[in-house]
Amino acid sequence: MRRTHGTVAVAVSTALLLAGCGGGSSDQSDDGRTRIDFAIHVANPQDQEPAFAAVVDAFEAQNPDIDVNLIGKEQSEHIRSIKMQSQSGNLPDMFWMLQASASELNDAGALLDLSDFLNANPDIASSLRPNMVEAFEDDSVQYGLPYQPLVTGLFYNLALFEENGLEVPETFDDLVAASEVFSAKGITTIAQGAKDPYSVWAFLTMLSRFGYFEKIEAILAGDEAFDNSDFVRFYEKIDLLRETGSFPQNVTTQSYFQAVESFTGGQAAMLDSGTWDVKKIEDSPVGQDVGFWWGPTFSDGVGEQNISSVVPSAPIVVNAQVAESEAKLAAIEKFLAFYYGPDGIQLMVDNQVPAMTDVDVSVDETEHPVFASVMEQVSSPAYTSQPAQPDLVVSEAVANAMYDSIYGVINGTYDPQQAAVVVQKAIDNER
Amino acid sequence: MKWFSSRTNKVALIAPTLAVYLAYIVAPIFIAAYYSLTRFSGIGQPQFIGLDNYHRLLDDPLFAIALKNTVIVLVVTLALLIPGAFGLALLMRRSVRGMSAVRAINFSPAIIAPILVGLIWVFILDPQIGLVNNVLRAVGLEALALQWIGGPDLTPFSLAIVQSWQSLGYIATIFIAGLTLIPDELYEAAALDGASGSQKLFHITIPLLNETFKMSTILVITLVFKIFETVLQLTNGGPNHLSELLVTYMYNTTFTAGEYGYGMSIAVTTLAITFLAAAVILGLPALRRRLARTES
C-alpha cells in the first residue's frame, strides 16, 4: 500500500510538471479584440522586419477590432519552437515556416488549405506572380502563401569597377577577368562569410544555370545523380573563382554580416545578398554607387542563362485549428487580404521589399537608388525568374549539404567532384 | 521527530524532487534513445528504422572528424589543465599579500559567458585580424602566423587552449580546496625527517589529492563534452564541419539539418562515450589496486 502511495505521489508530481509545459491559445485579447497569434522568425519584427511590421501596424490601425499578436524568435529557435508545438497540437494561428517543413506540416494535416481564401479573392489570386502561389501547392492544397518575395543576387560597387577600369561583368569569363584585376590590387571580388553557410544565394541561382530545375526531381527520385557532369562543372566554376582570389582571405572565419560590412565599407567589389540588405547599403558610404546584378551567364551552362531570382521566400501558413473559430478565421482572411492587397504591397515597397504581385507601385529613385536598381532588374523583360530558390525545394538536410558543398569549394576544403558527392550523400541518407 | 519520519512522509517529501529528476533528467535520455532509432524531422510521426542511424554513424566522415576533434580537445585540455591548475593552486596557496585578488582574477574567466569567451578569442586567434598573427607579423615571424582557427588542422588545439584558459581558475580553486584539507602536521613531520620540497610534493601532496585529481579529471571531461558556444563563436564548426565537436555536430544535425533521429543517435553515442570516459577514470585506480593485490 505504501509503495502504491509513493508511486502515485511521484506519478502525480510528474504529471503536474509535464502539464505545466503545455499551453493554450484563446480567440480574444484581454480587451475583447479578436486575437491572431502570429509567430515570426525574427526576435524583434519592428527592427528586423520593418516591412512586415509596417503592414501589421497599418492593418491593426484599419481594423481596431483585431489584435495581431506577434511572437518573435530568432529563426532557429522559431523553427524548433514550431516543431515542438506541432507535436503537442499547440501551433500558433499563423506563422512563418521553412518551405520543406511547411510541406511536412501540411502532410501531417496541421495546416489550413488557403484555396478558399484565393477563390474568394480572385483579384489577389490573379495578381500574385504564378511562382509565388505554385511553390506552396501540394496535391491541389494551397498550404501557404509567400511571406515576401526573395530577390537575391550580387550587389556591385560601380565606383570600384570604374576606378579599376572595369565594366560590370555579364558572363562568367568577364567575372573571372574582373576578379584577376581586383585580386592583384588586394580587393575582394565577392564578399562572402562561411561562418553563415546559408549565405550562398547568388551561387544557388548560378546552379539553376546548369539545369538544376530540369534535373532535381529525377535526382531526388534516384533516377539521376547530383554529382552529374553539369553540376560538377558548376562547382568547377566556383573553384576557378577561388583560384583567382575572388573571395575574402578570411572567408572561413568571417560571418555573413562581416561580409556585408566589408562591402558597405568599400573593401569588396560585390556582395552576395538580397533585398533585405538594401537599406543597409543605401545608408552606407557606398550607397550612391551600388547596382544590382543577377550573376554571370555561362557559355557551357545548361538551358536558359538569363535567369533571375524573384522567388517566394518561406511561406506564411495558417494553423488548421483556426477553422474551428469563425471569428478568428474571418480575422485571418481579412489580414491576408490586406497583406496581399495594394495597400500591403505598397507598404512593403516603401520599406524596400519588392512587390510579389503585378500591381503598380511607386519607388522614389532619389531616396532609394539601390532599391530602384533592384526593381529595374526585377522588371527587366530580358530575364526569367527561376521558379524557386534551389535550396527551398529540398529538405533541410539536403539544403544544408548544398550550402556545405558550395562553401566547401570556396574554402578549398572540397574539390568540385567531392562537393557534388556531399549533396548526393545527403540525398542518399534520406532514402 | 519520530512521528514525522514515517515512510509515507519521506516519500511525500522526496516525490517532487524525484519527479523533477525523472521528468527532466531520466525521461529525456530514454526519449532521445527512442528517437535515435527513428527517422524524424521534428514534424509528424517518427518512422522506426532500428539501428540504421548507428550504422550511418560508422560511415559518416563528419562524425569521425567530430569524434577525433573531441578527443584532441579532451587530451590537450587534460594535459594543460590538470597540471596547470594544480601548479597554480600550489602558487596561490601561499600567503602573500594580494593573493586574494590574484585568486579572483584567475577565477574570472570561469564566470564569463562562453559565447563572450568565443568572441574574445576570435579577436586573438583569427588568422587575418587576430592579435596573435598581427604580433607575429609585426616582429617578423610571418612563418609562424598560422591559421589558428578556420583551417583544417589547428582549430581543435586552439579550442583546447581556450577551454583551458576559461577553466584554469575554476579547477585551480578545486585544487586549493583539496590542499587546505591536507593537515599541516604531515608537512611538519616530513620536514623534521628532512624531506625536501619535491619529496613532500610527490609523497604527501599528490597522493593525498588523489580524489581531487580524479574528480577534476571527470569535471574536465564533462566540460569538454559540453563545449558548444565557443565553437559556435570561433568557427561555427567550419570550415565545412572540420572543427565540429560531438556536441556541435549533434546540434547542427538535429536543429540545422532537421535530422532529429540521426542527431539523437549522435547524442546517445556522446553520452555513452562520456560515461565510458568517466568510468575509466573512476575504475582505473580500483583496477590498479586489484592488480597489485594479485601480484602480492
Side-chain angles (χ1 to χ4, degrees), chain B residues 9-28:
Chain B
N9 285 344
K10 283 179 190 168
V11 168
L13 286 172
I14 291 169
T17 310
L18 189 60
V20 169
Y21 185 73
L22 287 174
Y24 294 112
I25 306 287
V26 178

Side-chain angles (χ1 to χ4, degrees), chain B residues 111-163:
Chain B
I111 56 170
I112 301 175
I115 199 88
L116 292 178
V117 170
L119 193 63
I120 292 166
W121 281 86
V122 164
F123 289 108
I124 296 172
L125 296 173
D126 188 281
Q128 301 301 318
I129 60 165
L131 179 72
V132 172
N133 280 2
N134 280 327
V135 169
L136 288 170
R137 287 186 194 112
V139 297
L141 294 172
E142 179 78 37
L144 292 178
L146 304 173
Q147 207 167 9
W148 306 108
I149 54 171
D153 305 315
L154 294 179
T155 307
F157 295 94
S158 299
L159 272 171
I161 289 168
V162 175
Q163 183 62 41

Side-chain angles (χ1 to χ4, degrees), chain A residues 178-374:
Chain A
S179 174
E180 282 165 354
V181 173
F182 284 130
S183 291
K185 297 194 174 178
I187 299 167
T188 299
T189 308
I190 307 174
Q192 298 276 161
K195 257 170 89 175
D196 293 304
Y198 54 81
S199 57
V200 288
W201 303 280
F203 291 92
L204 291 169
T205 307
M206 289 181 216
L207 182 55
S208 283
R209 297 181 186 125
F210 284 85
Y212 179 82
F213 282 97
E214 287 81 359
K215 291 188 174 74
I216 190 62
E217 269 187 39
I219 290 170
L220 294 176
D223 298 331
E224 199 167 337
F226 199 92
D227 50 336
N228 60 72
S229 59
D230 292 333
F231 288 5
V232 171
R233 216 162 53 252
F234 156 72
Y235 288 109
E236 283 169 356
K237 304 295 178 192
I238 304 175
D239 205 28
L240 186 56
L241 287 174
R242 181 187 62 79
E243 283 172 3
T244 53
S246 300
F247 305 111
Q249 283 187 323
N250 62 336
V251 65
T252 57
T253 53
Q254 181 165 270
S255 70
Y256 158 66
F257 303 97
Q258 287 169 307
V260 176
E261 276 177 31
S262 75
F263 178 75
T264 52
Q267 286 114 38
M270 287 191 249
L271 171 70
D272 182 354
S273 182
T275 43
W276 57 87
D277 275 328
V278 163
K279 190 173 185 318
K280 200 178 278 180
I281 295 168
E282 283 180 345
D283 292 345
S284 77
V286 302
Q288 294 298 314
D289 299 315
V290 172
F292 183 76
W293 180 43
W294 294 120
T297 56
F298 300 87
S299 57
D300 56 352
V302 177
E304 177 62 49
Q305 292 299 296
N306 285 337
I307 289 178
S308 62
S309 189
V310 187
V311 299
S313 68
I316 290 175
V317 294
V318 179
N319 181 356
Q321 290 172 0
V322 160
E324 293 164 14
S325 163
E326 223 170 87
K328 192 165 267 192
L329 182 61
I332 285 175
E333 287 184 339
K334 219 176 206 181
F335 177 80
L336 291 173
F338 184 82
Y339 194 84
Y340 298 104
D343 292 347
I345 297 293
Q346 182 62 54
L347 274 168
M348 288 196 207
V349 171
D350 292 345
N351 285 278
Q352 291 91 59
V353 171
M356 53 189 147
T357 64
D358 60 7
V359 293
D360 287 332
V361 288
S362 57
V363 179
D364 184 339
E365 285 187 34
T366 321
E367 204 178 332
H368 299 297
V370 181
F371 186 58
S373 169
V374 174

Side-chain angles (χ1 to χ4, degrees), chain A residues 80 83 104 195 253 400 404, chain B residues 41 126 233 236 240-241:
Chain A
R80 263 203 317 275
K83 285 185 174 182
E104 285 184 70
K195 257 170 89 175
T253 53
N400 276 284
D404 275 349
Chain B
S41 67
D126 188 281
Q233 194 60 259
N236 199 13
N240 293 96
H241 304 286

Side-chain angles (χ1 to χ4, degrees), chain B:
Chain B
M1 288 300 282
K2 199 181 172 206
W3 63 272
F4 195 73
S5 60
S6 67
R7 182 172 285 189
T8 311
N9 285 344
K10 283 179 190 168
V11 168
L13 286 172
I14 291 169
T17 310
L18 189 60
V20 169
Y21 185 73
L22 287 174
Y24 294 112
I25 306 287
V26 178
I29 293 174
F30 284 99
I31 292 169
Y34 163 70
Y35 280 120
S36 75
L37 304 174
T38 68
R39 180 177 289 132
F40 185 44
S41 67
I43 294 167
Q45 291 303 312
Q47 180 194 349
F48 187 78
I49 54 168
L51 294 172
D52 284 5
N53 284 329
Y54 291 94
H55 288 149
R56 186 177 154 191
L57 277 181
L58 298 175
D59 289 333
D60 183 352
L62 297 180
F63 175 74
I65 288 168
L67 183 59
K68 183 194 82 180
N69 288 342
T70 308
V71 171
I72 290 173
V73 175
L74 179 62
V75 171
V76 177
T77 307
L78 281 172
L80 291 175
L81 199 50
I82 298 297
F86 177 56
L88 191 64
L90 289 175
L91 286 175
M92 289 199 297
R93 201 191 166 205
R94 296 181 181 186
S95 309
V96 180
R97 199 171 164 195
M99 191 50 80
S100 300
V102 173
R103 283 182 191 174
I105 290 167
N106 272 292
F107 192 77
S108 59
I111 56 170
I112 301 175
I115 199 88
L116 292 178
V117 170
L119 193 63
I120 292 166
W121 281 86
V122 164
F123 289 108
I124 296 172
L125 296 173
D126 188 281
Q128 301 301 318
I129 60 165
L131 179 72
V132 172
N133 280 2
N134 280 327
V135 169
L136 288 170
R137 287 186 194 112
V139 297
L141 294 172
E142 179 78 37
L144 292 178
L146 304 173
Q147 207 167 9
W148 306 108
I149 54 171
D153 305 315
L154 294 179
T155 307
F157 295 94
S158 299
L159 272 171
I161 289 168
V162 175
Q163 183 62 41
S164 301
W165 173 80
Q166 192 184 10
S167 307
L168 188 68
Y170 179 53
I171 303 293
T173 305
I174 294 171
F175 275 113
I176 290 171
L179 286 169
T180 55
L181 293 176
I182 301 174
D184 287 341
E185 290 83 352
L186 290 177
Y187 292 109
E188 287 161 10
L192 286 173
D193 290 341
S196 66
S198 62
Q199 281 174 319
K200 286 180 201 169
L201 178 69
F202 286 105
H203 295 288
I204 299 173
T205 311
I206 292 178
L208 287 177
L209 283 179
N210 182 34
E211 285 303 311
T212 311
F213 273 105
K214 233 189 306 184
M215 291 321 295
S216 298
T217 305
I218 289 169
L219 204 58
V220 172
I221 292 170
T222 55
L223 285 173
V224 166
F225 276 91
K226 287 195 299 188
I227 298 175
F228 179 72
E229 297 97 326
T230 316
V231 180
L232 214 66
Q233 194 60 259
L234 283 181
T235 62
N236 199 13
N240 293 96
H241 304 286
L242 291 181
S243 62
E244 297 270 25
L245 301 184
L246 285 173
V247 175
T248 58
Y249 185 51
M250 182 273 289
Y251 180 87
N252 277 329
T253 306
T254 309
F255 298 113
T256 308
E259 294 189 271
Y260 283 63
Y262 188 50
M264 288 306 101
S265 70
I266 300 170
V268 170
T269 308
T270 306
L271 182 72
I273 293 171
T274 316
F275 275 144
L276 193 69
V280 168
I281 302 296
L282 289 172
L284 270 181
L287 186 68
R288 210 181 300 136
R289 276 198 299 276
R290 190 177 294 174
L291 286 174
R293 245 182 271 134
T294 315
E295 279 170 12
S296 63

